[in-house]
Amino acid sequence: MTRFRLGTRGSPLALTQARMVRAALSTTHSWAEDDIEIVVIKTTGDIVQDRALAEIGGKALWTKELDRALLAGEIDCAVHSMKDVETIRPTEIAITAMLPRADVRDRLIGAESIAGLREGAAVGTSSPRRSAQLKRLRPDLQIVLLRGNVDTRLAKVASGEIDATLLAAAGLDRLGRGDVGAAIDIDVMLPAPAQGAVGIEARAGSHAAQRIAAIGDAATMTCVLAERALLAALNADCHSPMAALARIEGDAIHLRGELFAADGAAHVVGEATGATGDSDFPATLAVDLLARAPAEVRALFGG
């Protein structure tokens, strides 16, 4: 067969996730793993590390080079951490499948709990969500801009340059570092929309899309699409500190969302339940959240 080409970023985590997709394709289609090529594509987000994503173009910095390669036929599909994929995607590209979702929680590196951080501790993150959540829980904390891959962030804590940081549990687990950090319960810090999910995109209607669809996990796709629908209805972007998590409960989907002011001082939380085939209820939750949100929160979203 002609080699099937998986496009991916080149970070250790991105490569691990691409290998997961390769293994799933190999098992499902009885392909030899050598028939599946992993193509590393450098993205702007990998190159520019000294500024927050929101300042230099947002989540598209992780996807635009992969999109170009996909549409040019240089790769057959692109593998992404779904929380890094912007909400509005090109019509020519389809989110074709998602692997089974991993642990959605954040892990705190540098202390056993947020309460256990020293007074005025410096916590590194580039996430508006994490920054707002931390400041809501601990207004005394100093938030320091921190980007880079997992090793870079862990090294900053180990060297004492910062006191702590937060990383996605799923990424640590996939890198074989499940013993690193203390997991933060979702009732303390609700995760980012799509956290813990690996998605695969292909050209819409292509033969590759059909191949990829066969490895998809339906429950993960349903939940992540509900979270992304909430994002879209809120007009949220990289500047918008928000959290969301959907879970399937019987024949229904339960969706929880939380919006914050940038400094965490104000917030609003809400929940909604819809049938698994209902694509409208996330927008209803968005309307409810915005209606109840303080002005400083609403200004960062659709209001």
Side-chain angles (χ1 to χ4, degrees):
M1 62 170 279
T2 303
R3 295 188 98 189
F4 194 89
R5 300 157 301 171
L6 305 182
T8 180
R9 293 169 52 210
S11 72
L13 178 57
L15 289 169
T16 295
Q17 293 176 167
R19 294 184 193 108
M20 291 166 57
V21 173
R22 181 174 64 184
L25 286 169
S26 177
T27 298
T28 299
H29 297 299
S30 300
W31 294 345
E33 289 201 1
D34 287 346
D35 291 331
I36 307 168
E37 179 183 3
I38 294 177
V39 180
V40 175
I41 295 175
K42 195 80 167 178
T43 70
T44 305
D46 295 307
I47 297 167
V48 181
Q49 293 288 326
D50 61 346
R51 284 174 287 169
L53 286 181
E55 296 178 5
I56 54 174
K59 292 183 178 181
L61 297 177
W62 299 128
T63 58
K64 64 180 181 179
E65 287 87 358
L66 285 158
D67 290 351
R68 183 206 59 77
L70 188 57
L71 294 174
E74 296 169 10
I75 56 177
D76 297 297
C77 69
V79 181
H80 299 288
S81 292
M82 281 306 302
K83 75 172 182 176
D84 293 334
V85 178
E86 65 269 31
T87 310
I88 306 301
R89 302 294 291 129
T91 56
E92 306 94 334
I93 295 175
I95 300 171
T96 308
M98 296 181 201
L99 298 184
R101 198 172 197 172
D103 192 339
V104 300
R105 295 174 296 176
D106 288 313
R107 283 207 195 121
L108 178 66
I109 317 299
E112 288 302 310
S113 66
I114 295 170
L117 289 164
R118 69 172 180 85
E119 183 77 15
V123 183
T125 182
S126 62
S127 163
R129 170 189 65 90
R130 287 170 173 157
S131 176
Q133 288 173 321
L134 286 168
K135 293 293 283 184
R136 178 167 180 78
L137 293 166
R138 289 280 306 272
D140 62 291
L141 296 177
Q142 304 302 308
I143 306 301
V144 178
L145 175 66
L146 177 63
R147 290 191 52 216
N149 63 30
V150 170
D151 285 330
T152 298
R153 300 184 197 199
L154 293 177
K156 296 283 188 181
V157 178
S159 70
E161 186 172 335
I162 55 176
D163 293 294
T165 189
L166 287 158
L167 292 168
L172 289 167
D173 289 344
R174 288 171 184 144
L175 289 170
R177 298 182 177 184
D179 59 341
V180 173
I184 307 298
D185 192 272
I186 60 172
D187 289 330
V188 176
M189 289 185 70
L190 197 66
Q195 185 155 307
V198 174
I200 310 102
E201 293 188 321
R203 291 181 298 280
S206 66
H207 183 62
Q210 297 174 28
R211 295 289 197 176
I212 290 294
I215 67 170
D217 181 76
T220 298
M221 180 76 87
T222 296
C223 290
V224 171
L225 290 183
E227 294 162 20
R228 286 173 61 82
L230 178 61
L231 273 170
L234 289 165
N235 294 317
D237 58 24
C238 280
H239 295 278
S240 309
M242 70 159 295
L245 181 63
R247 288 180 165 171
I248 293 178
E249 299 178 351
D251 294 329
I253 312 170
H254 180 263
L255 177 62
R256 181 180 179 191
E258 193 165 10
L259 316 182
F260 299 86
D263 63 0
H267 89 305
V268 62
V269 61
E271 303 181 21
T273 300
T276 52
D278 181 359
S279 59
D280 296 327
F281 84 95
T284 302
L285 176 57
V287 170
D288 171 65
L289 288 168
L290 291 173
R292 294 187 292 107
E296 59 268 43
V297 174
R298 197 164 57 249
L300 299 175
F301 296 90

